Amino acid sequence: MRPISIASAALFASCAVAQTYQRLGGCPTLGCVFPPDQADFLPGQYFDIRLEVHSPINGSEARQGQPDPDFKFTIAKKGEKAVAAAEYFEIDEPKLERWNFTWYEDLFAKDAHKPSLVNVTAKAYRRVALHEPGEYEATLTYYGKEKTVANWLVRDLPEKRRAKNVILFIGDGMTTNMITAARLIAHRSINGKYLTKLQLDKFPVLGHQMTHSMDSFITDSANSATALYAGHKTTVNALNVYVDSSKDPFDDPKFETISEIFRRRYPDGGVGIVSTAFLADATPAGLAAHTRDRGEYDHVISAYFEGLTKYKWTDLEGPDVLLGAGAENFIPSKGAPRDYFKLFADKDYSISWNKTALQAAPNDTKALGVFSSANLPTWLDRNVYQDNLRNKSNYPDGSGRDAEDLPGLKEMTLKAIDVLNARHADDGWFLMSEAASIDKQMHSLDYDRSLGELLELDDTVRATIEKLKALGQLEDTLIIVTADHGHGFDVTGSVDTKYLDAQEDDRDKRKAIGTYQNSGLSQYTVRGPNALRYSEGVHFPARWDPRYTLHAGVVAFPDHQENYAVHSEGPRKPAVKGNGADGYYSNYKDAVTGFLINGTLPVSADQGVHSLTDVPVFAQGPCQELFGGVYNSVDIFFNMAECLGLADHGKN
Amino acid sequence: MRPISIASAALFASCAVAQTYQRLGGCPTLGCVFPPDQADFLPGQYFDIRLEVHSPINGSEARQGQPDPDFKFTIAKKGEKAVAAAEYFEIDEPKLERWNFTWYEDLFAKDAHKPSLVNVTAKAYRRVALHEPGEYEATLTYYGKEKTVANWLVRDLPEKRRAKNVILFIGDGMTTNMITAARLIAHRSINGKYLTKLQLDKFPVLGHQMTHSMDSFITDSANSATALYAGHKTTVNALNVYVDSSKDPFDDPKFETISEIFRRRYPDGGVGIVSTAFLADATPAGLAAHTRDRGEYDHVISAYFEGLTKYKWTDLEGPDVLLGAGAENFIPSKGAPRDYFKLFADKDYSISWNKTALQAAPNDTKALGVFSSANLPTWLDRNVYQDNLRNKSNYPDGSGRDAEDLPGLKEMTLKAIDVLNARHADDGWFLMSEAASIDKQMHSLDYDRSLGELLELDDTVRATIEKLKALGQLEDTLIIVTADHGHGFDVTGSVDTKYLDAQEDDRDKRKAIGTYQNSGLSQYTVRGPNALRYSEGVHFPARWDPRYTLHAGVVAFPDHQENYAVHSEGPRKPAVKGNGADGYYSNYKDAVTGFLINGTLPVSADQGVHSLTDVPVFAQGPCQELFGGVYNSVDIFFNMAECLGLADHGKN
C-alpha cells in the first residue's frame, strides 16, 4: 500500500507537454486515428474515419522531412486477419489530403508569439459501419513502422425493442447540488421532513454519469450533447464529429446520432426537439448537426431543415416538432442566409411565434415554434418579474415588438408530446426537452433565475408524466432526466440581507452570513398574505426576496459584487469590461449594496464556467434498470438505443 | 402555473423572525414538544419526551405572566382516544422543572447587546417506547387552550432480519463532486474512457440522501451522525438528543441509536467503531454519546467505556472494537479525568498504540487502538510526504515521541472485521468506519489531502469486500458507503503552476488557469520514471505535483491565497488571525506564489464550511434495493434497522 518512497522534488517529471493546448486532441502521437482508441459503437451505427500523419516543423516535437503520404490503415476483428480498410468496408480508397496548422505548446509560447507549425497528410473514409459486436483493432502504420492502434468496441446489445417512446430531459448544467437548493426554496419542510418533494425525488432509479470530454476533463454542451446522443465523446465545441486538424469546420469525421438512427430504422417514428435556448444552440443542435464548431449556426438550422447537403448521410428529414427560441437564425433581416420560416412553412410545418399560436397549432402537423430572439426569457421574468419582458424588441417576426405571450418549457413539452403522439401513435417517438437556462443563468451567477429554471424543469417532468398517463403512453415511455455537465454550485448558509445592507464596510457585511445552525430554515416557502401561489401540485417559492436569502456561490467566478439578493430588475451581469485590454472587472451596479469578491478565473472571463462533477440521472419506465449506478455519459446513448431496439447486428 | 401577479415590493413579508438565531429550534410556538412534529420512530425504539412552555419577558414575543405550570400532555394513536402520557406509558408523572434562558432575535439585537429573556416550565418523560406501527398525535395544551401537536409516525417495518452484518462507511463531508475529482487524479483514462474505476463506481445501487438539520438547512457532523444512527434529525452539535433550552448539556431528551438497539436485541452481536479522527469526535461519538454538546469529550469516552451513568438507558456495553486517534482524551496527563487506557485494559480490551501492535492484537479479544493524539495524520503525510510526521510529539502514550508507525483507515477497518468476525461469527455485527479527514482537510481548503483521504476510503472499501469474500461473509453483509454532509467543492479546470509562479501580478497569475478544452487531461496519473507505485489494484495518483494541477475550489471560504500547488510541507492553513478583533486574514505563507482571494464568509471564519447538497449513498448486499433513489438521511437508519431485523412490534 505504501508507495515506494521518493524525494518529493523528483515528482516533477517530464509530463508537461500538451495540457493547456494540445497539438490535436485524441492524438498524442504523430499518427492520428478517428474514431480514436477506446471508442465504442452501436452495432450498425454509421461513422466516418479520419486518418492524419503529422510532421512538426519546429517546437519540442520537431522532425526532419514531410508527413508520410504512404501510410497504411487496416481493420481487424479480434482474432481475425487485418484487412486494408477500403477492402474491409468495400469502398474506394479515399484520396490523400494535405494541409498544415499551427498551435502553441504552452502559455509561455503564446505570450512569446511562437507557434509550432505542423504539416499533415490525411485521408477520410466516409459513412462506414460495423455490425458485428466485438472488439476491433484499427491500425495506422506510418513513417515505416510507427503504429497508432485504436481499439474499438462494437457493443453486444440486444436488438429487441423494449420502449415505444423515449423522452430525454436535459437540465443543462444541472447538478445534484442545484436540485437540493431548488427543493429547499420550493418545498416546505417541518422539523427536517419535507411535506412535498420534487418530481425528480420520486424517480425509482438514480445514476451518475461522468461528463468529461475525450481530450479535456471539462466539457461544454456541444461535446456532451454528442456523448449523450451519439455515444462518442469528442472535443469542446464539436457536434457529432471528431475534430481533425484541417481548417474546414464541416469535413471532420461524423458519427450517426440517436435521432438519425431512429429515423433510419423506424421511418414512421417521430422526433421532437424542445429547448428554452435559441434553437441553433448546442444541446438542440446535437440532434441534427455535424460540425466541429457549434458556432456555425446556419449549419444547424439547415440541418434541421434539410439534413446534411455536403455529404451523403442519414437524413433526419426534419424533426416533427422543433420548439424554442433564437428567431435571429431564421430571419434574413437578422442575418440568416435564408427565410427559414417560409421554407419550413413550405414544407408543411405549422409556424408559431407565441403561446396562443402554439396551443392552437394542429397536432397532426409538423410544428416549428420560435417564440423570441436569443434565449427564451427566464421563468422568473416570465412569471414573477414580468416588467423585465418589456423593451426587449425580441418578438420572433423581427418586427421589433416585445415577445410577451411566451410559452415555458412545460407548455412547449406538452405540445410536443401531443404532436408526436398524434402523428406517431403506432411507431413511437423520441423527444429531447432542454431546460437550457439552468446553465445560462448559472454562468452569470444568477442563482435565483437558474433555480427557477430547474423548478420549471421539475414541474415539466411532473406534467409530462400526467400527460403520458392521460394518453395511455406512460408504461411504454422511458423517461430520463439528466444533465450534460455541472457548474460548481452549492449553498452554505443564509444571509440577513437587511443586516448586510446596513453595514458600510465590506468585512462587516460578511457578518450577515449565517452558517450551520445560523443558516436557519428556508424563508422562501413561508406562506403569507403576499405570497405567490400556484396550481395544486405545482411548487415554486412563495417569495423570492425574503429578508434571509440563500448564501449561494460557485467555485470559480470573475470579479463580482455580492449582496445575495434576487435581481428583480432583470438577469444578472456580474462583470464588465475594464479600460483597455485588461479584461473584466466587477460590475458595481450588479449588487450596489454588496461586497467585492475578486475572481478566480482568467480576467478574460466575464462569467462562471462548467465543472467536473458527475451529474445525476433519473430514470423511469421500460429499461429503467439500465440507468442505476455510476457510468460514462456515452452509456446514456447506448442504453436509450438498446431500449429503442436500434442495435443492428446486420443479420437480417 | 403563472402565479398570481403581485408587486414585487410587496414580496417583503413579515417572515423575518428567528432565522440567524432561534428561540428554540423545533419550537416556533411557545409550547414545545420533543420529539417534535414529524418525528419518525423505529417500532420499540426507546426515547425521552421533553415538554417546555415559554414565557418571553421582552422582545417581539413578550407576554404578561409566568410560564404555565399546569400544562397537559396526551398521546393518542390515530383514531383512538387521547390519554395522559404518564398513563399511556405506565410511568410516574415527572416533576415540574423551571429555568430561564436568553437569546438574540437577530444580528442587530446582538450588536446592540439586547438579549431576549424567556422563562420556562418543563417536564421530561424518560425512556418510553411505541411498539405498534402507525400514526400518533402527541398534544401539549398550555395557557388554557393553546395547543402544540406533534404528529409522530412509528414506521411499519418488518421484523424479519435479512442481513447478518452491516458495515456503514462514512466519508465525512464527501460529495459526488469530490468522488469525481478523486477518480480523475487516481485512475487513468484514454480518450474519455476510464481504464480502471473507483470501487464506489462498481456498487450496484446508488441513492442520494438529504442531510439538513431539524432546525437549520446546514448540518454539522454530530447532528447528521444522529440522523444516520438513530433516525432523528436534531440541532447542530447535538448527539442523539433533541436540544432543550435548559443549561445542562446532559438532560436533553435522548433516543436510542442503532448500536444500542442492536446490542439490546442481539446481546451476542458485535459493534465496531473505526475513525481517522480523534475518537471523541462527533461521527464515532454518535454511536455511544447522548448530549446536546459534541464538545463534551469526556462524556463520549465514558459512554464508550461504561454507557450512560446519569440516566437509566440501554447499555452499549462497550464496542468490541474502537480504533482511531485522539489520545489526549484517554490520558490524565493530557487532561482526561481518568486513565482510560488502564480502565479499558482492566475491562479486557487489548490496547494498541501503533500499527505493529494493532496487527498483533488477538482477534478474539475486544480491541482499543489509539494511534496518535489529535486526528490521525493524513494519507498524504503518512504515504508521500512522510517528513511531515516528524516533530509532532503525538505518540498516544503522551511521552512526547512522534507517532510514525501508523495504521490507515484500511488497516484499522480490516482488523476491526477480523475481531468482529472472530467474536461474533454467529450473531453478526455492526461496524462504522469513518474517513474523517475528507472533511477536516476540505475545511482547510487542502483539496489534495482531502482527496487522498477519499481515495484511501475507496481503497478500504475495495479491501473490505475482498476480506469479506475471504471470510465467506460477503453475501451476508450489507455494505453502505455514504457521507454525513457536503462541502461546496468542485473542479473547474487546470492550472499551469509554472506559468502562474512566473507572473508577478495577481491578475496575470489568473491567466494560468485553463478551462474547458484548455483544462486538458489529468497529469496526476502520468506514469514515468519517478512516479509513485502501489500494489496491484490499488489506485492513488502517480504524482501529486505535476506542472498542471487541478483548478479546484469551494463556494465559501475565508480570505486566502491560491497557487494551486500541493502543500508538501504539511496540511494547509489558509487564514491567520489579524491584529485585534478584526478576524482572520489570508495566510500569505500558505501559498507564497499565489494570488489573493478575499473571503465570502464572516471574517471570524478561518476555514470553509459545510454545504447543503444531497450526498451519495452506495449500497450492496442484503437489502441493497432499499437504498436507491432520493430520500432523507434518517432513512439510512430505518433501512439498516429493517435489514438487521430491529423493528419490535411488541407482540412477542
Side-chain angles (χ1 to χ4, degrees):
Chain A
M1 228 303 296
R2 175 174 291 204
I4 294 161
S5 188
I6 51 172
S8 73
L11 282 168
F12 269 108
S14 58
C15 57
V17 172
Q19 171 78 6
T20 305
Y21 307 109
Q22 296 174 60
R23 175 166 38 74
L24 182 59
C27 185
T29 60
L30 297 183
C32 310
V33 178
F34 295 103
D37 191 25
Q38 304 298 321
D40 285 13
F41 302 83
L42 183 74
Q45 180 181 23
Y46 284 118
F47 63 99
D48 294 342
I49 298 168
R50 167 63 83 187
L51 309 174
E52 296 187 17
V53 176
H54 291 187
S55 184
I57 301 305
N58 55 351
S60 63
E61 297 176 301
R63 63 183 293 285
Q64 294 288 330
Q66 282 300 307
D68 189 346
D70 300 316
F71 56 81
K72 307 287 179 231
F73 183 61
T74 61
I75 308 277
K77 187 148 194 285
K78 196 173 180 178
E80 297 178 5
K81 197 170 145 283
V83 177
E87 183 185 339
Y88 193 93
F89 293 114
E90 299 177 359
I91 54 175
D92 293 337
E93 186 66 29
K95 70 176 191 339
L96 190 73
E97 301 170 68
R98 291 178 185 272
W99 62 73
N100 62 48
F101 68 94
T102 61
W103 67 295
Y104 291 113
E105 292 206 345
D106 66 8
L107 290 162
F108 293 106
K110 191 182 180 205
D111 282 356
H113 304 291
K114 288 190 177 159
S116 299
L117 176 67
V118 181
N119 287 326
V120 182
T121 48
K123 279 186 182 179
Y125 300 78
R126 300 286 176 187
R127 198 167 178 269
V128 298
L130 296 165
H131 287 84
E132 202 180 326
E135 295 173 39
Y136 293 78
E137 218 175 61
T139 305
L140 175 67
T141 307
Y142 56 103
Y143 295 145
K145 50 189 187 171
E146 296 292 314
K147 282 186 195 300
T148 296
V149 177
N151 295 286
W152 293 344
L153 175 68
V154 177
R155 292 202 189 181
D156 191 7
L157 301 178
E159 293 181 299
K160 186 172 186 306
R161 183 170 176 176
R162 292 170 61 199
K164 184 173 154 193
N165 313 310
V166 170
I167 305 185
L168 174 62
F169 285 104
I170 297 181
D172 202 302
M174 178 176 72
T175 64
T176 300
N177 304 26
M178 296 174 204
I179 292 169
T180 315
R183 187 194 301 121
L184 181 73
I185 65 171
H187 290 264
R188 285 177 64 217
S189 67
I190 294 179
N191 295 322
K193 188 188 278 185
Y194 277 99
L195 304 183
T196 57
K197 282 185 169 189
L198 297 167
Q199 188 64 39
L200 295 182
D201 295 336
K202 298 171 187 167
F203 271 64
V205 174
L206 176 68
H208 285 170
Q209 46 125 332
M210 313 175 196
T211 68
H212 54 273
S213 298
M214 175 189 73
D215 53 0
S216 67
F217 55 76
I218 304 290
T219 187
D220 80 318
S221 292
N223 177 14
S224 57
T226 299
L228 296 172
Y229 301 158
H232 292 265
K233 282 179 189 275
T234 175
T235 297
V236 167
N237 296 330
L239 286 164
N240 303 310
V241 297
Y242 289 106
V243 174
D244 65 25
S245 67
S246 79
K247 285 188 180 61
D248 184 346
F250 302 117
D251 73 342
D252 305 74
K254 303 177 291 300
F255 32 80
E256 212 178 15
T257 68
I258 192 158
S259 46
E260 292 164 341
I261 304 169
F262 182 65
R263 269 283 167 79
R264 177 166 62 76
R265 299 293 307 285
Y266 304 109
D268 293 324
V271 170
I273 301 171
V274 172
S275 176
T276 54
F278 61 100
L279 284 165
D281 201 13
T283 308
L287 288 166
H290 294 268
T291 173
R292 52 105 57 74
D293 179 4
R294 61 184 279 180
E296 292 285 351
Y297 295 149
D298 190 59
H299 166 78
V300 177
I301 305 299
S302 74
Y304 292 139
F305 174 62
E306 59 194 349
L308 304 197
T309 53
K310 188 170 171 185
Y311 293 94
K312 178 169 159 50
W313 195 249
T314 306
D315 191 355
L316 179 64
E317 293 182 355
D320 294 83
V321 193
L322 182 61
L323 305 177
E328 63 276 21
N329 301 122
F330 289 79
I331 308 174
S333 67
K334 299 294 179 184
R338 293 190 279 179
D339 183 349
Y340 282 108
F341 284 133
K342 181 169 186 312
L343 290 170
F344 274 92
D346 291 348
K347 225 171 165 176
D348 296 329
Y349 278 80
S350 70
I351 311 289
S352 300
W353 286 337
N354 54 57
K355 183 170 75 175
T356 306
L358 176 69
Q359 291 180 333
N363 288 340
D364 60 359
T365 302
K366 288 190 283 185
L368 172 66
V370 182
F371 304 104
S372 70
S373 55
N375 299 306
L376 205 67
T378 69
W379 182 93
L380 197 65
D381 295 309
R382 283 184 285 111
N383 291 280
V384 180
Y385 300 114
Q386 293 152 343
D387 287 352
N388 298 331
L389 301 180
R390 305 217 181 97
N391 305 315
K392 291 284 178 281
S393 305
N394 60 343
Y395 195 74
D397 66 355
S399 64
R401 284 184 292 157
D402 294 334
E404 292 188 288
D405 177 20
L406 292 161
L409 187 68
K410 183 163 80 173
E411 293 76 24
M412 293 193 291
T413 304
L414 296 182
K415 183 66 179 188
I417 293 170
D418 277 333
V419 171
L420 290 166
N421 197 60
R423 293 172 55 83
H424 303 283
D426 293 335
D427 287 39
W429 40 267
F430 174 86
L431 170 63
M432 190 288 295
S433 172
E434 184 206 15
S437 291
I438 298 173
D439 171 72
K440 294 180 192 303
Q441 295 300 318
M442 197 53 65
H443 271 299
S444 52
L445 317 187
D446 198 328
Y447 313 124
D448 290 303
R449 278 183 175 72
S450 180
L451 296 179
E453 300 297 297
L454 198 159
L455 289 166
E456 185 186 31
L457 171 62
D458 192 67
D459 186 42
T460 302
V461 174
R462 183 190 58 78
T464 294
I465 290 170
E466 284 171 15
K467 160 74 83 178
L468 291 171
K469 216 179 279 175
L471 293 171
Q473 297 289 318
L474 185 60
E475 301 304 311
D476 295 327
T477 305
L478 169 63
I479 304 174
I480 303 159
V481 188
T482 189
D484 51 353
H485 59 77
H487 284 260
F489 169 87
D490 212 338
V491 173
T492 42
S494 67
V495 181
D496 182 346
T497 55
K498 183 176 172 186
Y499 185 85
L500 186 148
D501 290 356
Q503 311 305 310
E504 296 287 328
D505 181 78
D506 269 20
R507 284 175 72 86
D508 286 340
K509 285 178 183 291
R510 288 158 59 184
K511 286 190 209 165
I513 296 154
T515 57
Y516 300 107
Q517 65 268 45
N518 296 338
S519 66
L521 299 168
S522 171
Q523 300 291 345
Y524 292 80
T525 59
V526 175
R527 295 175 183 175
N530 294 322
L532 299 162
R533 278 177 288 168
Y534 309 91
S535 311
E536 189 62 33
V538 174
H539 293 280
F540 288 91
R543 57 196 73 245
W544 285 88
D545 54 0
R547 170 174 165 184
Y548 295 91
T549 59
L550 295 187
H551 185 241
V554 288
V555 303
F557 36 78
D559 294 6
H560 64 292
Q561 301 258 127
E562 275 294 358
N563 67 359
Y564 302 101
V566 67
H567 287 67
S568 57
E569 308 291 311
R572 188 169 183 188
K573 187 179 169 60
V576 290
K577 197 87 181 163
N579 294 326
D582 193 25
Y584 284 87
Y585 287 89
S586 170
N587 178 15
Y588 173 74
K589 290 184 212 156
D590 183 55
V592 175
T593 61
F595 61 91
L596 178 70
I597 305 170
N598 55 319
T600 60
L601 286 171
V603 297
S604 57
D606 66 343
Q607 57 176 15
V609 295
H610 297 177
S611 73
L612 180 70
T613 183
D614 291 354
V615 293
V617 185
F618 302 88
Q620 74 167 60
C623 313
Q624 66 183 35
E625 73 284 356
L626 299 176
F627 294 88
V630 181
Y631 40 86
N632 202 322
S633 55
V634 299
D635 293 318
I636 302 278
F637 163 79
F638 287 105
N639 292 345
M640 292 190 303
E642 174 180 346
C643 202
L644 284 169
L646 299 184
D648 174 8
H649 296 191
K651 290 179 183 156
N652 301 318
Chain B
M1 227 303 297
R2 174 173 291 203
I4 293 161
S5 188
I6 50 171
S8 73
L11 281 169
F12 270 108
S14 58
C15 57
V17 171
Q19 172 78 8
T20 307
Y21 307 108
Q22 295 172 61
R23 174 167 38 74
L24 182 59
C27 185
T29 60
L30 297 182
C32 311
V33 179
F34 295 103
D37 190 26
Q38 304 297 322
D40 285 13
F41 302 82
L42 184 73
Q45 180 181 22
Y46 284 119
F47 63 99
D48 295 342
I49 298 170
R50 167 62 84 186
L51 309 175
E52 296 188 17
V53 177
H54 290 187
S55 184
I57 301 305
N58 55 350
S60 63
E61 297 175 301
R63 63 182 293 284
Q64 294 289 329
Q66 283 298 307
D68 190 346
D70 300 316
F71 56 81
K72 306 288 178 231
F73 183 59
T74 61
I75 308 277
K77 187 148 194 284
K78 196 173 180 177
E80 296 179 5
K81 198 170 144 285
V83 177
E87 184 186 338
Y88 192 93
F89 292 115
E90 299 176 1
I91 54 175
D92 294 338
E93 185 66 30
K95 69 175 190 341
L96 189 73
E97 301 170 69
R98 290 177 185 272
W99 64 71
N100 62 48
F101 69 93
T102 62
W103 68 294
Y104 291 114
E105 294 206 346
D106 66 7
L107 289 162
F108 292 106
K110 190 183 180 205
D111 282 356
H113 304 292
K114 288 191 177 158
S116 300
L117 176 68
V118 182
N119 287 327
V120 182
T121 49
K123 280 187 181 177
Y125 300 77
R126 301 287 177 186
R127 198 166 177 269
V128 299
L130 295 165
H131 287 86
E132 202 179 326
E135 295 174 39
Y136 293 78
E137 218 175 60
T139 305
L140 175 67
T141 307
Y142 56 101
Y143 296 145
K145 49 191 186 171
E146 297 291 315
K147 282 185 196 300
T148 297
V149 178
N151 295 285
W152 294 344
L153 176 68
V154 178
R155 292 202 188 182
D156 192 7
L157 301 177
E159 292 181 298
K160 185 172 188 301
R161 184 170 177 178
R162 292 170 60 199
K164 184 172 154 194
N165 314 310
V166 171
I167 305 185
L168 174 63
F169 285 104
I170 297 180
D172 202 303
M174 178 175 73
T175 64
T176 300
N177 304 24
M178 297 174 203
I179 292 168
T180 314
R183 186 193 302 122
L184 181 73
I185 65 171
H187 290 265
R188 286 178 64 218
S189 67
I190 294 180
N191 295 322
K193 188 188 278 184
Y194 276 99
L195 305 182
T196 57
K197 282 186 170 189
L198 297 166
Q199 188 63 39
L200 295 182
D201 295 336
K202 299 172 187 165
F203 271 64
V205 174
L206 176 67
H208 285 169
Q209 46 124 332
M210 313 176 196
T211 68
H212 55 273
S213 299
M214 176 190 73
D215 53 0
S216 68
F217 55 76
I218 304 291
T219 188
D220 79 319
S221 292
N223 178 14
S224 58
T226 299
L228 296 171
Y229 300 158
H232 292 266
K233 282 179 188 274
T234 174
T235 298
V236 166
N237 296 330
L239 287 164
N240 303 311
V241 296
Y242 289 107
V243 174
D244 65 25
S245 68
S246 80
K247 286 187 178 62
D248 185 345
F250 302 117
D251 73 342
D252 304 75
K254 302 178 291 301
F255 32 80
E256 211 179 16
T257 68
I258 192 157
S259 47
E260 291 165 341
I261 304 169
F262 183 65
R263 268 284 166 77
R264 177 165 63 74
R265 299 294 306 285
Y266 303 108
D268 292 323
V271 171
I273 300 171
V274 171
S275 176
T276 54
F278 61 100
L279 284 167
D281 201 13
T283 308
L287 287 166
H290 294 268
T291 173
R292 53 103 60 75
D293 179 4
R294 60 184 278 179
E296 292 286 348
Y297 295 149
D298 191 59
H299 167 79
V300 177
I301 306 300
S302 74
Y304 291 139
F305 174 62
E306 59 193 350
L308 304 197
T309 52
K310 188 168 171 185
Y311 292 94
K312 177 167 159 49
W313 196 248
T314 306
D315 191 355
L316 179 64
E317 292 182 355
D320 294 83
V321 192
L322 182 61
L323 305 177
E328 62 277 20
N329 300 122
F330 289 78
I331 307 173
S333 67
K334 299 293 179 184
R338 294 191 278 180
D339 183 349
Y340 282 107
F341 284 133
K342 181 170 186 311
L343 289 170
F344 274 91
D346 290 349
K347 225 169 164 177
D348 295 328
Y349 278 80
S350 70
I351 310 289
S352 299
W353 286 337
N354 54 57
K355 183 170 76 174
T356 306
L358 176 69
Q359 291 179 332
N363 288 341
D364 60 359
T365 302
K366 287 190 284 184
L368 172 66
V370 182
F371 304 104
S372 71
S373 54
N375 298 307
L376 205 68
T378 69
W379 182 91
L380 196 65
D381 295 308
R382 283 184 284 112
N383 291 280
V384 180
Y385 300 114
Q386 293 152 343
D387 287 351
N388 298 330
L389 301 180
R390 305 219 179 95
N391 304 314
K392 291 283 177 282
S393 305
N394 60 343
Y395 196 73
D397 66 355
S399 65
R401 284 185 291 157
D402 294 335
E404 291 189 288
D405 177 18
L406 291 162
L409 186 69
K410 183 163 79 173
E411 293 77 22
M412 293 194 290
T413 303
L414 296 181
K415 182 67 179 188
I417 293 170
D418 276 333
V419 172
L420 289 167
N421 196 61
R423 293 173 55 82
H424 304 283
D426 292 336
D427 287 37
W429 39 267
F430 174 87
L431 171 63
M432 190 289 296
S433 171
E434 185 207 15
S437 290
I438 297 173
D439 171 72
K440 293 178 192 306
Q441 294 301 318
M442 197 53 66
H443 271 299
S444 51
L445 317 186
D446 199 328
Y447 312 124
D448 290 303
R449 279 182 174 74
S450 181
L451 296 179
E453 300 297 298
L454 197 159
L455 288 166
E456 185 185 33
L457 170 62
D458 192 66
D459 185 43
T460 302
V461 174
R462 184 190 59 77
T464 294
I465 290 170
E466 284 171 15
K467 160 75 81 177
L468 291 170
K469 215 178 280 175
L471 293 172
Q473 297 289 317
L474 185 60
E475 301 304 312
D476 295 327
T477 305
L478 169 64
I479 304 174
I480 303 158
V481 188
T482 189
D484 51 353
H485 60 77
H487 285 259
F489 170 88
D490 212 336
V491 173
T492 42
S494 67
V495 181
D496 182 346
T497 55
K498 184 177 172 186
Y499 185 85
L500 186 148
D501 291 355
Q503 310 306 309
E504 295 287 329
D505 180 77
D506 269 21
R507 284 176 72 85
D508 286 340
K509 285 178 183 290
R510 288 159 58 184
K511 285 190 209 165
I513 295 155
T515 57
Y516 301 108
Q517 65 268 45
N518 296 338
S519 66
L521 299 168
S522 171
Q523 300 291 347
Y524 292 79
T525 58
V526 176
R527 295 174 183 176
N530 295 321
L532 298 162
R533 278 177 288 167
Y534 310 90
S535 312
E536 189 62 33
V538 174
H539 293 280
F540 289 90
R543 56 196 75 245
W544 286 88
D545 55 0
R547 171 173 163 185
Y548 294 91
T549 59
L550 294 188
H551 185 242
V554 288
V555 302
F557 35 77
D559 293 7
H560 63 292
Q561 302 258 127
E562 274 296 357
N563 66 0
Y564 302 101
V566 67
H567 287 68
S568 57
E569 308 291 311
R572 189 170 182 187
K573 186 178 170 61
V576 291
K577 196 87 181 162
N579 294 328
D582 194 26
Y584 284 87
Y585 287 89
S586 169
N587 178 15
Y588 172 74
K589 291 184 210 154
D590 183 57
V592 175
T593 61
F595 61 91
L596 178 70
I597 305 171
N598 54 318
T600 61
L601 286 171
V603 298
S604 56
D606 66 343
Q607 57 175 15
V609 296
H610 298 177
S611 73
L612 180 70
T613 183
D614 292 352
V615 294
V617 185
F618 302 88
Q620 74 168 58
C623 312
Q624 67 183 34
E625 73 284 356
L626 299 177
F627 294 87
V630 181
Y631 39 86
N632 202 322
S633 55
V634 299
D635 292 318
I636 302 278
F637 163 79
F638 287 105
N639 291 345
M640 292 191 301
E642 174 180 344
C643 203
L644 284 169
L646 300 184
D648 175 7
H649 296 192
K651 289 178 181 155
N652 301 317

